[in-house]
Amino acid sequence: MSSRIELPLQPSLAVGLLAATPWLAMACFVLVAGVAGKGLLLLGLAPTLAGAFFQFRGTGLMGGKRAITALKVSDGQLYVQLGHTRTVAMEVAGASQLGADLTVLKLRPVGTRLFAYSAILLTGNRLVRGNVPEDEFRRLRVWLRLGRSQPSPV
């Protein structure tokens, strides 16, 4: 019998900026290349800035139907609350990165390889406001490292 873990996520500007960083880096590249003589590349500036905006809004401000607003572990299964209404059972992909203060989870619904989701979990400190409570985050990290049952060999 496993203990229950409930991890609500809060909106966080720092998490939004982390999620939007790849898009912002691409926008900077497009801008520099466009100004340096490849003017046609400037057409890509609007889509990259739109991508940054949607990542910031979805991951940092938790807006939209696909935004992950809470994580819950019950009976050894991870459940994710999407958009404040729908709860879906998820599997954690091997591409997830676990750290002491920052964790990036790559998730997909149980039984499918489509519709991948990402969650950035960040604990706060004096300078940065995170999006998760530290005690529940610690319990989730322990469960992710040690508590999940391994798939049985076929």
Side-chain angles (χ1 to χ4, degrees), residues 23-47:
W23 288 99
L24 293 173
M26 186 182 297
C28 288
F29 169 76
V30 167
L31 182 64
V32 168
V35 170
K38 306 289 183 196
L40 218 54
L41 282 178
L42 289 174
L43 293 174
L45 191 59

Side-chain angles (χ1 to χ4, degrees), residues 3-27:
S3 62
R4 190 174 169 111
I5 300 170
E6 292 187 17
L7 185 67
L9 300 177
Q10 301 296 321
S12 171
L13 297 177
V15 171
L17 288 174
L18 281 172
T21 298
W23 288 99
L24 293 173
M26 186 182 297

Side-chain angles (χ1 to χ4, degrees), residues 42-104:
L42 289 174
L43 293 174
L45 191 59
T48 56
L49 290 176
F53 171 76
F54 285 117
Q55 279 295 324
F56 181 82
R57 181 179 168 266
T59 305
L61 302 180
M62 296 190 303
K65 294 178 188 176
R66 289 182 47 94
I68 296 175
T69 58
L71 299 164
K72 181 172 80 169
V73 175
S74 180
D75 295 328
Q77 177 63 53
L78 177 67
Y79 295 93
V80 172
Q81 185 175 357
L82 298 174
H84 300 290
T85 56
R86 194 171 64 143
T87 302
V88 179
M90 295 279 185
E91 295 175 347
V92 179
S96 298
Q97 299 292 317
L98 300 175
D101 295 320
L102 175 68
T103 295
V104 178

